[in-house]
Amino acid sequence: FLLVPAVEVKIEVVIPEKERNKEEMSPNGKASPLVYKVNGTARHYHLEEHPIASNPYHNPKDVVEASVCHVKDLENGQMREVDLGCGKALLIKESGEFHAVGHKCPHYGAPLVKGVLSKGRVRCPWHGACFNISTGDIEDFPGLDSLPRFQVKIEKEKVYIRASKQALQTQRRTKMMAKCISLSNYNLSSTNVLIIGAGAAGLVCAETLRQEGFSDRIVMCTMDRHLPYDRPKLSKSMDSHPEQIALRPKEFFRTYDIEVLTEMQVAAVDIKNKTAVFKDGFKMEYNKLLIATGNTPKALSCKGKEVENVFNIRTPEDANRVVKLATSKNVVIVGASFLGMEVAAYLAERAHSVSLVELEEVPFKKFFGERVGRAVMKMFESNRVKFYMQTEVSELREQEGKLKEVVLKSGKVLRADVCVVGVGAVPATGFLKQSGVNIDSKGFIVVNKMMQTNIPGVFAAGDAVTFPLALRNNKKVNVPHWQMAHMHGRIAALNMLAHGMEISTVPYLWTAMFGKSIRYAGHGEGFDDVVIQGDLDELKFVAFYTKSDEVVAVASMNYDPIVSKVAEVLAAGRTIRKRDVE
């Protein structure tokens, strides 16, 4: 294996400003929220039949065919964005064969031509999603849709692409899904599959079951008021409305018979009788169960913690309210976590002042290392964010019931109209304590490589689990990130259907602050050294995290697609040595 550091690490792909802005936009445009509540009680409703969109190739007027290049214009392993007049496609040549698929990642619209091509798949340069170049199918996450696939033919040494205009314009394709046979015969209080939690893991599980032809009843339940939405957006784009960040429109759930019970909390699970007991006393029997409840944010334990205008960012309403209250006011953020830092970045231009309080000496020290942490801190300071490090909050003071000051243990008193708390989270698994499901000392649900718990027919996924990470010799880890939750949901669904599928994905995550993104792949926990190439002061760098002699993770800023390249190498099971990157 050779990473060719001298060349590879110095590659820089400049994203046009238009594309760069799209990265922080909503993945799916607008969609209506769906709340199934009648007289304060959430229940399922009978679904109507909806026709599934027919094959767009059936209408000749919707089809375009164009000559895009000469067969010798592309070498093996090359990709090119080609224009068909009414839209673009990604043309790929691998092992002597040509393939054509959508040119934009359906997640946030990243240009896939700037991604990484390897062994029959292309990996997105921004967030690491992978697509099969023959079928367009999504093979690693984040995102829910696949790429459209276009026909390629060779005539007289010229390459022609035949494509549906609609697919060229939408640049996304929902995989074929089964429909429920009939919901009218069902007992209200029993389901074949019950999914507790409606985040990425729960939704991907439900969608995968339908994609694999499962046509029995699926019920998802959530404490939230909304249909599944893009929760990571709450701290990056705080004024987003629920319908803007919905992962699927409400029509989707009707079409594919996925029932969602909103504002419904499971209080206990009776493993013996395969029954979930809800807080309002309602009971539901299940055949297979997925627990994907995620995390609960930690609250402050100091004096005055009940004061008004102190927030955890958990829902769109929380985020919207903070933006409204913080505009032209003084904001204190407690915790230099991903959430805390993203909120600080978002509010820096809107608030009168932003102060950040953190126990460590440098933000992200445990995750990105001290040098990268300091470079990020400097970027924040140049954007008017003031840091109070190596201290914590001792008291929240109020005036007429509302927050007025935050008192630090160092003795410093900060003026504050709003306080956002980002001091970590704990797994939302308290309701399982007496269930018999195996939970570790920190509250995480223990699963195997198939996302199975110790109880047959009970699976768990997402932020609330520890699972064996192939990348780190099957060490049991917790990876509370968006991409991993998607993959957990998929693996759980496949194993509910007895496919015997094991998880082997490489963790991939990102954070966005002041219009800049840090990408990260691997699992750097316990790293003992960081090899940095590029310029930290210029915020154009790649950092390799090593343990002993092995690279276990990589982070970068303004160095795309290096993180996706490393992720692809790690996914292939190859080891990158420290000497390869020094």
Side-chain angles (χ1 to χ4, degrees):
F1 157 77
L2 269 177
L3 192 63
V4 199
V7 180
E8 300 271 295
V9 176
K10 288 186 179 168
I11 290 175
E12 189 206 0
V13 178
V14 180
I15 300 171
E17 205 52 48
K18 206 161 65 177
E19 295 287 359
R20 195 187 293 272
N21 294 343
K22 281 182 194 163
E23 181 179 356
E24 305 313 331
M25 277 168 42
S26 163
N28 289 319
K30 293 209 170 192
S32 317
L34 186 59
V35 180
Y36 308 142
K37 287 209 78 175
V38 186
N39 300 330
T41 311
R43 290 291 178 266
H44 96 285
Y45 68 112
H46 292 289
L47 299 153
E48 315 140 45
E49 284 298 310
H50 285 255
I52 296 175
S54 59
N55 184 337
Y57 280 67
H58 288 171
N59 180 359
K61 286 183 180 171
D62 184 50
V63 176
V64 62
E65 188 175 291
S67 162
V68 291
C69 70
H70 191 276
V71 287
K72 289 184 180 168
D73 287 349
L74 250 69
E75 299 288 330
N76 274 326
Q78 277 193 318
M79 301 188 285
R80 177 182 287 187
E81 217 174 73
V82 293
D83 200 333
L84 278 72
C86 61
K88 292 179 180 177
L90 183 68
L91 181 65
I92 300 161
K93 187 177 182 183
E94 194 173 69
S95 306
E97 283 187 33
F98 286 91
H99 306 271
V101 292
H103 75 290
K104 282 184 178 178
C105 178
H107 179 230
Y108 276 8
L112 291 174
V113 72
K114 291 168 182 173
V116 180
L117 176 65
S118 170
K119 293 183 180 168
R121 68 182 196 174
V122 59
R123 187 183 278 270
C124 169
W126 287 358
H127 307 130
C130 297
F131 303 91
N132 185 301
I133 61 171
S134 302
T135 64
D137 285 351
I138 188 166
E139 293 186 345
D140 203 341
F141 300 93
L144 297 167
D145 290 317
S146 296
L147 297 174
R149 177 176 65 96
F150 309 124
Q151 292 174 3
V152 179
K153 65 176 183 181
I154 312 292
E155 271 181 17
K156 296 179 181 170
E157 301 287 285
K158 284 191 170 175
V159 180
Y160 290 83
I161 294 178
R162 179 178 163 83
S164 133
K165 291 177 185 174
Q166 186 191 353
L168 281 170
Q169 278 148 20
T170 58
Q171 288 293 320
R172 61 176 71 238
R173 171 177 63 86
T174 302
K175 285 170 86 170
M176 285 297 289
M177 295 200 201
K179 305 278 300 273
C180 214
I181 297 162
S182 166
L183 282 179
S184 54
N185 312 329
Y186 287 138
N187 176 346
L188 269 178
S189 58
S190 75
T191 181
N192 199 300
V193 174
L194 176 62
I195 297 169
I196 307 175
L203 180 59
V204 171
C205 179
E207 288 200 21
T208 303
L209 288 169
R210 289 284 183 252
Q211 287 162 4
E212 295 295 317
F214 181 81
S215 58
D216 216 319
R217 191 178 184 203
I218 299 172
V219 175
M220 299 172 74
C221 61
T222 173
M223 288 163 63
D224 234 306
R225 289 169 57 180
H226 309 291
L227 283 176
Y229 58 87
D230 190 343
R231 201 184 291 277
K233 294 286 288 182
L234 294 183
S235 51
K236 296 180 180 77
S237 180
M238 296 178 69
D239 52 5
S240 298
H241 295 292
E243 59 272 20
Q244 292 173 310
I245 58 175
L247 294 174
R248 293 293 193 196
K250 67 178 177 184
E251 294 75 28
F252 178 93
F253 293 88
R254 287 202 190 100
T255 302
Y256 299 113
D257 306 322
I258 297 166
E259 298 167 71
V260 187
L261 308 183
T262 57
E263 296 187 80
M264 288 287 275
Q265 185 177 351
V266 173
V269 174
D270 179 348
I271 294 299
K272 198 174 160 192
N273 296 306
K274 291 192 164 187
T275 304
V277 183
F278 289 82
K279 205 173 179 182
D280 65 358
F282 178 62
K283 291 180 180 178
M284 183 172 272
E285 289 178 28
Y286 61 82
N287 182 25
K288 295 275 195 297
L289 176 68
L290 178 73
I291 304 161
T293 43
N295 283 333
T296 304
K298 286 182 186 169
L300 290 179
S301 56
C302 63
K303 190 180 167 190
K305 62 182 182 200
E306 306 303 330
V307 169
E308 237 180 272
N309 297 346
V310 178
F311 295 87
N312 287 113
I313 306 287
R314 184 67 189 162
T315 65
E317 289 79 9
D318 293 336
N320 296 172
R321 185 122 176 80
V322 166
V323 173
K324 203 173 167 186
L325 289 169
T327 305
S328 305
K329 294 288 194 329
N330 301 302
V331 180
V332 172
I333 294 159
V334 185
S337 56
F338 282 104
L339 180 136
M341 295 289 275
E342 287 170 2
V343 168
Y346 190 82
L347 295 178
E349 281 180 15
R350 294 162 177 81
H352 176 258
S353 72
V354 176
S355 305
L356 208 146
V357 180
E358 166 60 39
L359 207 48
E360 291 282 338
E361 57 187 310
V362 177
F364 299 134
K365 187 180 174 181
K366 282 181 183 153
F367 203 86
F368 290 135
E370 189 169 343
R371 289 170 66 197
V372 172
R374 283 201 189 282
V376 172
M377 189 171 171
K378 210 164 136 189
M379 172 176 80
F380 272 73
E381 286 172 333
S382 69
N383 281 282
R384 296 178 41 248
V385 175
K386 195 149 175 42
F387 287 89
Y388 296 88
M389 306 303 277
Q390 294 178 285
T391 186
E392 51 192 320
V393 176
S394 66
E395 187 186 348
L396 300 172
R397 284 186 190 151
E398 47 115 6
Q399 192 177 336
E400 292 167 18
K402 291 192 171 75
L403 180 69
K404 200 67 197 157
E405 292 173 336
V406 174
V407 185
L408 307 183
K409 284 197 175 161
S410 60
K412 183 83 182 161
V413 178
L414 307 175
R415 286 178 64 190
D417 301 291
V418 190
C419 176
V420 176
V421 181
V423 291
V426 291
T429 55
F431 70 101
L432 296 169
K433 278 198 175 124
Q434 308 301 319
S435 67
V437 173
N438 188 9
I439 289 172
D440 73 9
S441 59
K442 291 181 179 171
F444 294 111
I445 305 165
V446 181
V447 295
N448 64 13
K449 282 189 164 191
M450 296 193 217
M451 309 317 293
Q452 292 167 327
T453 67
N454 59 313
I455 308 291
V458 178
F459 297 78
D463 294 3
V465 309
T466 59
F467 68 101
L469 186 64
L471 188 70
R472 298 292 296 270
N473 298 320
N474 297 321
K475 179 186 172 188
K476 283 272 170 90
V477 299
N478 170 252
V479 181
H481 296 293
W482 195 233
Q483 167 255 4
M484 195 54 82
H486 285 69
M487 187 54 94
H488 283 182
R490 178 162 175 76
I491 298 291
L494 293 173
N495 291 312
M496 283 180 180
L497 302 173
H499 283 225
M501 183 67 74
E502 294 189 345
I503 191 162
S504 64
T505 188
V506 173
Y508 199 116
L509 64 113
W510 65 95
T511 181
M513 303 162 295
F514 299 113
K516 292 180 167 50
S517 285
I518 301 180
R519 325 234 184 259
Y520 180 98
H523 188 71
E525 196 179 280
F527 67 86
D528 51 35
D529 198 11
V530 188
V531 178
I532 292 173
Q533 304 220 10
D535 192 331
L536 283 171
D537 292 334
E538 293 290 315
L539 297 174
K540 187 181 165 189
F541 63 87
V542 55
F544 297 95
Y545 299 88
T546 63
K547 194 169 164 77
S548 302
D549 180 40
E550 194 179 321
V551 173
V552 290
V554 60
S556 84
M557 197 184 252
N558 289 318
Y559 251 109
D560 293 340
I562 187 71
V563 171
S564 286
K565 285 191 175 188
V566 173
E568 211 42 43
V569 171
L570 296 175
R574 288 185 286 174
T575 302
I576 305 171
R577 297 280 166 212
K578 194 173 178 178
R579 61 178 176 271
D580 295 326
V581 298
E582 278 178 329

